[in-house]
Amino acid sequence: MNTTSNYASMWYCQCQFEEHRLRLLASTDFALRTLMLLANQPQGGPLNVETLATMLGNVSRNHLHKVVQTLAGLGLVRTIRGNGGGVVLAAPPGSIKVGKLIRDLEGEQPVVECFRDGGTCVLSADCRLRCYLKDARNAFFRDLDQHTIADCLPRKPARRAKETA
């Protein structure tokens, strides 16, 4: 994924996995990556929104501020005002389930028209596609519920044993 693009004008972030695509709201993408950046901070030090926006590929500072407010409302980050302030994790990265986070952020985004409130199948009242898509969506979240933000962090390189002469 190209992080140098300006995501502020995008409604969705598309991630390519082999030939399949997954669409998340751009704000969900920002939230996931913000939590990963904060989790990777040495000693859990704060990062201000401007620094985070730059680290995320120069995304809109205003858009990212809204994302941070949402994360704070979920109890996942804490904001610190004043000189040297910024954003810090309020929960251990190992306790933040990716599936739950995406559900919280995405809400009930409809996969297809029939998932919308009051939506019905335009083809037939007894169409079974909705059930299949609902099952697939549930499986998607079940799988993501097995992973945490800590699992998403880059692996630390293994230390090499010192060669003895």
Side-chain angles (χ1 to χ4, degrees):
M1 179 180 300
N2 181 0
T3 57
T4 60
S5 299
N6 184 352
Y7 286 104
S9 62
M10 290 178 48
W11 285 100
Y12 290 95
C13 169
Q14 294 186 6
C15 303
Q16 183 97 18
F17 300 101
E18 296 176 18
E19 72 277 358
H20 306 289
R21 285 191 178 185
L22 168 67
R23 289 180 68 170
L24 296 175
L25 294 171
S27 57
T28 301
D29 177 41
F30 297 155
L32 288 164
R33 293 189 293 143
T34 295
L35 292 172
M36 291 169 60
L37 284 171
L38 293 173
N40 231 7
Q41 274 301 102
Q43 291 102 26
L47 289 173
N48 65 41
V49 172
E50 189 169 326
T51 301
L52 283 167
T54 301
M55 293 173 78
L56 292 172
N58 295 317
V59 300
S60 162
R61 184 181 174 280
N62 292 334
H63 190 81
L64 188 58
H65 183 70
K66 291 176 188 174
V67 169
V68 167
Q69 287 177 326
T70 300
L71 292 172
L74 293 171
L76 301 176
V77 300
R78 190 169 44 90
T79 58
I80 303 167
R81 292 179 164 238
N83 191 18
V87 184
V88 295
L89 281 180
S95 71
I96 304 171
K97 299 283 187 181
V98 175
K100 180 178 180 341
L101 176 62
I102 292 175
R103 273 192 299 277
D104 289 344
L105 296 171
E106 298 268 325
E108 290 298 318
Q109 291 292 321
V111 177
V112 291
E113 175 60 32
C114 60
F115 276 40
R116 296 186 190 283
D117 286 339
T120 58
C121 180
V122 296
L123 298 178
S124 104
D126 63 347
C127 177
R128 297 183 307 194
L129 179 62
R130 180 180 180 153
C131 294
Y132 301 145
L133 292 174
K134 184 177 180 182
D135 289 347
R137 182 179 181 160
N138 290 339
F140 169 76
F141 284 119
R142 266 195 313 275
D143 186 64
L144 289 177
D145 282 336
Q146 303 303 310
H147 305 284
T148 66
I149 291 296
D151 297 330
C152 298
L153 299 177
R155 293 192 174 121
K156 306 246 189 254
R159 293 187 179 188
R160 294 182 184 179
K162 291 183 179 178
E163 294 182 351
T164 55

